[in-house]
Amino acid sequence: EQAAVLADEQHPAFGMGMFHRLPQTMASLTHMPESFRTGIGRNYDSHGPEGAVGIERSFEPWTNHNLISNVLPQLDGVIETLNGTARVADIGCGAGGAVLLMAKHFPSSSFVGYDISTYALTRATERLHDSGLTNACFADPRDTPLPTDHSIDFITTFDCIHDMTHPAQMMGAIREAISDYGTWLLVDIKAHDTFTLNATKNPMAPLMYGISVLSCMSSAMSAPDGAGLGTLGLSAGTAEEMARAAGFTRFRRLDVDHAVNAFYEIRP
């Protein structure tokens, strides 16, 4: 299954990612009737450790090939910041690939990856140990919260805000953590503002909405008051509105060629 993803590492593997997680995703069908009755979904750890590995294999090939060379240079002043002694947080870090990649390329900066998935954090910690890197660590924000003193220079969120039960609250926490001169790189699924536009303009909409019910939307509604954005719930307009409500004043879409994701530079 890994070979299928690595066949063309320059292209995103969103569909393949779902293929990797197909056994776990199909197993979640057994829980759907109860979720529809209660309105409460299931978080990512409900997919087991294979779910964390599947996401790792799905998204990291593109990230490994493009993050350092293509994405980060488009962010105003971020490369210079990272070449110094920056404090960096990757929220929703999963198995830690982006953290480890950046930590390797920018050894003078320090990196913390945050996630609430026990399986993902276990995998990330194992990989950190194998890497030998000393400028990175991983944490569960429920045990080690994000700082609230505006001390973080650069924050990244890759494909996770739409999965969160309280995305607006998270954006507020990001604003409290980030320096007044810092940068937030928001990466999330390309989406239109309405279901009708998504259904008529995006040929992958049926696949994405199906995935959302079984995975993304389920995660986003895994708390009684979950926002439930889901796979196609964070359009550029929605993201900008939410970011400004959280206290950010600058919002810019980057010129990154990706079939599934949109990339935004957000600053205080």
Side-chain angles (χ1 to χ4, degrees):
E1 76 185 351
Q2 188 175 21
V5 171
L6 298 180
D8 186 353
E9 63 177 18
Q10 295 191 48
H11 288 76
F14 186 86
M16 285 298 181
M18 298 308 107
F19 177 76
H20 288 318
R21 287 181 282 162
L22 187 58
Q24 292 76 40
T25 302
M26 294 304 293
S28 69
L29 282 171
T30 61
H31 304 292
M32 280 298 101
E34 182 65 17
S35 291
F36 274 98
R37 281 191 292 269
T38 65
I40 306 300
R42 295 170 62 84
N43 65 24
Y44 272 100
D45 271 357
S46 68
H47 298 293
E50 298 85 0
V53 173
I55 293 174
E56 171 192 342
R57 292 179 175 180
S58 303
F59 291 100
E60 285 193 20
W62 192 95
T63 298
N64 290 340
H65 195 272
N66 291 279
L67 179 61
I68 303 298
S69 62
N70 182 24
V71 179
L72 296 185
Q74 294 196 41
L75 298 168
D76 187 21
V78 165
I79 292 293
E80 291 82 356
T81 298
L82 292 175
N83 279 326
T85 55
R87 294 185 64 188
V88 182
D90 180 26
I91 298 169
C93 66
V99 167
L100 298 176
L101 180 66
M102 291 189 290
K104 178 181 178 181
H105 279 82
F106 304 104
S108 296
S109 291
S110 60
F111 300 81
V112 182
Y114 293 92
D115 209 292
I116 62 172
S117 166
T118 301
Y119 296 124
L121 288 174
T122 297
R123 174 66 178 151
T125 302
E126 291 172 351
R127 298 175 72 194
L128 175 61
H129 179 267
D130 292 342
S131 74
L133 293 168
T134 59
N135 61 330
C137 64
F138 296 97
D140 186 325
R142 295 167 297 191
D143 301 324
T144 307
L146 278 167
T148 58
D149 58 356
H150 304 289
S151 60
I152 304 298
D153 300 295
F154 181 45
I155 291 178
T156 57
T157 56
F158 296 97
D159 289 294
C160 63
I161 295 294
H162 70 270
D163 295 314
M164 294 183 179
T165 54
H166 302 98
Q169 181 178 325
M170 173 52 68
M171 290 186 183
I174 290 172
R175 181 62 190 95
E176 289 186 347
I178 201 166
S179 160
D180 289 339
Y181 304 99
T183 300
W184 171 22
L185 171 63
L186 166 62
V187 182
D188 218 285
I189 308 298
K190 291 178 185 177
H192 296 282
D193 289 323
T194 66
F195 170 79
T196 299
L197 285 173
N198 281 324
T200 57
K201 300 293 186 180
N202 186 347
M204 293 179 65
L207 170 66
M208 288 182 158
Y209 278 119
I211 290 166
S212 191
V213 169
L214 295 176
S215 185
C216 302
M217 178 68 76
S218 184
S219 172
M221 296 186 70
S222 59
D225 56 348
L229 288 179
T231 305
L232 293 174
L234 194 66
S235 66
T238 300
E240 181 171 3
E241 181 181 353
M242 293 176 68
R244 292 189 183 278
F248 292 92
T249 65
R250 285 173 283 179
F251 187 97
R252 179 173 70 94
R253 185 165 178 170
L254 303 181
D255 183 20
V256 176
D257 183 19
H258 195 290
V260 173
N261 283 339
F263 296 70
Y264 309 102
E265 178 187 70
I266 304 175
R267 305 190 68 179

